[in-house]
Amino acid sequence: MMRTRQRTTTLENLRIPVQAKLAAAWTSLMFFYIYIDYFHLYQPGAIDQIRGGGIFEFGITPTLMTVFVVVIGIPALMVMLSMTLPARANRATNLVVASLYIPVTVFNAVGTSWDWAFYYGFHITIEVLLLAFILRSAWTWPRTASPATMPANPDREAARIQQQA
């Protein structure tokens, strides 16, 4: 007897672990940072300003470059930490770092002209939405029931629930 495969219309929707969601969001934020910095080079005068030793209103110094490494390095580390830290530390770290990065993100608009307001407003909005997703994912991290509230035999409990349905 040959079986034919039945077509289904429902797509499988696997539950993605919170750690993977967080790592993906931090990765998206990192890619977005990279592209926004790259696109900045297309703004008139940006390359000349860099060649002249300045970025925005700041002189290019070892201190400024170190600040840039820290600002970009923390989200890069968050990709790895989101996948490796224990749940409690992971949740707390993501809540703290994402909260601190919202003002860092908004700071990107300082000193911009109104001509570029939509550009900066749009990319800052996307970055804040990614950070909000991180905050929401960490805040709503699923909890497991304590052993005292777990059924003694999970298979028997599942069968009992299915019979009642």
Side-chain angles (χ1 to χ4, degrees):
M1 177 180 201
M2 190 169 155
R3 284 189 165 176
T4 58
R5 195 173 188 151
Q6 283 187 324
R7 292 184 99 180
T8 60
T9 57
T10 306
L11 296 175
E12 185 175 8
N13 193 15
L14 298 175
R15 184 165 181 216
I16 299 170
V18 177
Q19 294 92 328
K21 289 180 183 180
L22 292 169
W26 285 110
T27 302
S28 294
L29 189 68
M30 288 299 304
F31 276 117
F32 202 65
Y33 278 167
I34 291 166
Y35 277 104
I36 291 303
D37 286 347
Y38 176 74
F39 292 150
H40 171 73
L41 298 175
Y42 288 98
Q43 291 180 356
I47 293 175
D48 293 334
Q49 187 181 28
I50 293 169
R51 284 186 184 145
I55 299 174
F56 301 110
E57 301 298 321
F58 306 105
I60 299 174
T61 64
T63 302
L64 180 67
M65 298 310 290
T66 302
V67 168
F68 287 171
V69 168
V70 170
V71 168
I72 295 302
I74 291 172
L77 286 172
M78 288 306 297
V79 175
M80 186 260 317
L81 292 174
S82 293
M83 291 299 292
T84 59
L85 285 176
R88 185 178 297 266
N90 199 336
R91 179 178 187 261
T93 303
N94 273 280
L95 288 171
V96 169
V97 174
S99 296
L100 292 174
Y101 263 74
I102 290 175
V104 169
T105 297
V106 174
F107 179 76
N108 285 323
V110 172
T112 62
S113 69
W114 283 107
D115 296 343
W116 291 91
F118 182 76
Y119 168 77
Y120 281 97
F122 191 61
H123 89 71
I124 289 170
T125 298
I126 291 171
E127 291 171 11
V128 169
L129 286 173
L130 285 166
L131 291 165
F133 176 82
I134 292 166
L135 288 169
R136 183 180 178 279
S137 296
W139 185 258
T140 61
W141 195 299
R143 295 185 169 28
T144 57
S146 67
T149 61
M150 296 290 287
N153 186 337
D155 293 331
R156 184 179 290 160
E157 184 67 17
R160 183 185 66 77
I161 291 169
Q162 191 173 21
Q163 285 177 346
Q164 289 177 349

